[in-house]
Amino acid sequence: MSRALFTAAVLAAAPIAATALAPVSAHAAPAHAAPVHAANTFDGVWLFDDAPPNPGVTMMEVTTRGGVIAGRVTTHWYGPIAMQAPHVENGVLHFTTRNINDREHPTRDWSVVLEDGKAHLKGQIWESAIDSKGYRGTSADARARAFHFAPLPPLGQPIPAHLAATPPMGWSSWNKFADRIDDKTVRAMADAMVSTGLRDAGYRYINIDDGWQGERDAQGVLHPNARFPDMKALADYVHARGLKIGIYSSQGPRTCAGYEGSYGHVQQDAQTFAAWGFDYLKYDLCSGEWFYPDADTVKRSYHEMGAALAATGRPIVFSLCEYGRFDVGTWGRDVGGQLWRTTGDITDDYATMARIGFDKNGDPAWAGPHGWNDPDMLEVGNGGMSPDEYRTHMALWAMSAAPLMMGHDLRESTGETLALLTNPRVIAIDRDSKGIQGKAVRKVGTMEVWARPLADGRVALALFNRGEAAASLAPSAQDAGLTTVSGAQDVWTGQASADFGATRTVPAHGVILLVVSGH
């Protein structure tokens, strides 16, 4: 499921720590602003207790000074949202607010109507519609519900990279379970990773994505929710099976599924993750994109956590998830990252997988040992694509030197799924020590030929058919960057492939994957 669509199931937001807000900046008075002697019936503090959790409106504050109205709406996700050009017209308070992730709507219109002594607030931010009623509160209530801003440190020195010499391999909970994940399921996935032979094939990480978080205690320490009674014991269980374990957070106040983020607690959370014994952190921008809207602040927010992880002394792979913004591959290593997402979320269909794999898989120049373009998790085994399409999925990720993070229920792996995921020749291409990301070297109609040089001097060659019908193409030595080809191996079967240069027919949405040698 796409996180952008994941709103209906988010949990109710927890109270935000009390602290004073910065003053609201005054806006220039519009021509239709109330006259100086008029009282504004919207002035004051309005409290919202039953608003939907995303964005989690908690309070509205309105003031009128010298006939100029100013105000803000405080939320769990985005903190205080400033009112732009607020004015009263025909008994309705109108204003606009900044918007995110919507080029067609950089701002959104909001309104407030007084109904039976309550403030009926309507508006929208990104994909979340607001339609809630609030009641009058006091200045003490405002102080109790005020948002606590956290300072963002300046960008520090580059953080040395020592982990992930090859792309990480493992399993992540999101694609199959979303936030409906628990201790029992994670343990079952660890057991299945071993019993199916996936561990021995190279898959090592069992990663808990969003949905594990509970609340913070009086000291600010984040505790797991009731579905995860003992994180240290869970990590020990996974480690005892020869595996590593990962966890998830966000630099925003709320994660993408509406749970507690690391905003204001970065160093504290890094220490907690290390104390529990985690080996991997996926750090998802989520609500942090409101606070960190540009390249500078995004880089600094990731460096803050990268430095905090390094300070724990525990080797923790740092996975950056900011959807490929700001040419992340040019700075991902410097902030401590070993892999960085190049796109939004994958879904289990050919169109989305192909768009990501062919067109949104990152600049090959960015990839190499200790730093990898991440086109998102694998959907192999979830059932939404055909066998040919899943082979294309696996081949694209291997040719791209991408992390291989499975996303299905490992307990339900079929023989066909396991054969694809554990194919040693495909995995060898993906994890080749030279670390060169493959790329398209020739395009003919619906066909694309990709090449990837390997450390032993051979070249992986993929013939992809992006069309809706079978298509034919003859590979050439030049496709592989060679003058002559002396041998070719079919990666799927392991058998020698005779007559390398012969015309080959590739099924719709399918791939022929070879490893060739020559001069």
Side-chain angles (χ1 to χ4, degrees), residues 166-480:
T166 56
M169 296 173 60
W171 173 88
S172 179
S173 59
W174 182 262
N175 282 2
K176 181 64 178 181
F177 298 100
D179 74 326
R180 301 178 299 277
I181 189 65
D182 55 39
D183 178 283
K184 180 180 178 181
T185 302
V186 174
R187 290 172 187 253
M189 293 304 110
D191 291 340
M193 186 88 89
V194 176
S195 65
T196 57
L198 287 162
R199 180 197 63 185
D200 293 341
Y203 296 89
R204 288 289 188 273
Y205 289 93
I206 296 288
N207 290 348
I208 306 166
D209 207 281
D210 208 352
W212 64 268
Q213 305 89 333
E215 297 182 355
R216 297 188 184 276
D217 62 23
Q219 287 72 45
V221 176
L222 181 58
H223 295 269
N225 59 44
R227 299 194 301 271
F228 290 89
D230 189 334
M231 280 296 200
K232 180 66 168 63
L234 177 58
D236 289 345
Y237 185 92
V238 172
H239 289 151
R241 280 141 188 80
L243 300 167
K244 296 180 182 294
I245 187 167
I247 201 166
Y248 169 101
S249 191
S250 169
Q251 56 264 66
R254 286 290 182 268
T255 66
C256 290
Y259 293 80
E260 185 77 16
S262 290
Y263 185 86
H265 299 272
V266 173
Q267 291 76 20
Q268 193 171 35
D269 286 357
Q271 292 292 335
T272 296
F273 301 153
W276 283 340
F278 280 89
D279 310 293
Y280 185 114
L281 171 66
K282 177 181 174 182
Y283 207 44
D284 205 341
L285 188 57
C286 300
S287 63
E289 62 191 348
W290 181 268
F291 300 87
Y292 312 126
D294 53 35
D296 174 65
T297 52
V298 167
K299 292 176 188 177
R300 289 159 58 194
S301 72
Y302 277 100
H303 191 283
E304 182 181 21
M305 178 55 85
L309 293 175
T312 68
R314 182 176 182 82
I316 299 176
V317 169
F318 190 27
S319 170
L320 317 184
C321 186
E322 49 85 89
Y323 330 120
R325 297 173 182 175
F326 312 118
D327 292 330
V328 60
T330 63
W331 50 267
R333 285 182 178 83
D334 291 344
V335 300
Q338 285 81 42
L339 59 157
W340 42 82
R341 279 276 291 279
T342 60
T343 179
D345 285 4
I346 194 171
T347 51
D348 189 22
D349 59 273
Y350 177 80
T352 303
M353 180 279 294
R355 177 181 56 81
I356 290 173
F358 286 108
D359 306 320
K360 300 289 185 181
N361 62 343
D363 188 334
W366 298 343
H370 311 292
W372 308 100
N373 290 318
D374 178 10
D376 205 4
M377 296 167 277
L378 295 171
E379 290 282 7
V380 176
N382 279 325
M385 289 183 255
S386 70
D388 282 327
E389 290 169 343
Y390 278 137
R391 276 192 287 273
T392 291
H393 186 9
M394 192 73 178
L396 261 177
W397 265 236
M399 292 295 288
S400 298
L404 300 180
M405 290 292 167
M406 299 175 291
H408 69 295
D409 188 334
L410 302 181
R411 297 166 296 187
E412 299 175 357
S413 300
T414 65
E416 184 177 47
T417 293
L418 288 174
L420 179 58
L421 289 169
T422 61
N423 184 303
R425 294 167 296 279
V426 178
I427 291 173
I429 293 172
D430 181 75
R431 308 195 79 199
D432 184 73
S433 62
K434 199 167 187 177
I436 295 177
Q437 179 172 322
K439 59 184 178 182
V441 295
R442 182 159 59 111
K443 298 182 181 181
V444 181
T446 64
M447 296 289 293
E448 292 192 14
V449 181
W450 283 45
R452 181 180 176 187
L454 304 177
D456 63 4
R458 297 185 300 164
V459 179
L461 203 64
L463 282 62
F464 293 106
N465 179 8
R466 299 184 66 173
E468 301 295 328
S472 298
L473 185 74
S476 69
Q478 288 71 33
D479 291 332

Side-chain angles (χ1 to χ4, degrees), residues 117-201:
K118 293 187 175 182
H120 189 173
L121 176 68
K122 291 185 177 182
Q124 184 170 342
I125 184 167
W126 193 14
E127 295 180 335
S128 298
I130 293 91
D131 188 348
S132 300
K133 291 184 178 181
Y135 58 94
R136 284 197 178 275
T138 67
S139 57
D141 293 324
R143 289 191 295 272
R145 297 193 181 202
F147 185 83
H148 183 191
F149 282 98
L152 181 63
L155 187 65
Q157 293 297 311
I159 300 170
H162 304 293
L163 303 175
T166 56
M169 296 173 60
W171 173 88
S172 179
S173 59
W174 182 262
N175 282 2
K176 181 64 178 181
F177 298 100
D179 74 326
R180 301 178 299 277
I181 189 65
D182 55 39
D183 178 283
K184 180 180 178 181
T185 302
V186 174
R187 290 172 187 253
M189 293 304 110
D191 291 340
M193 186 88 89
V194 176
S195 65
T196 57
L198 287 162
R199 180 197 63 185
D200 293 341

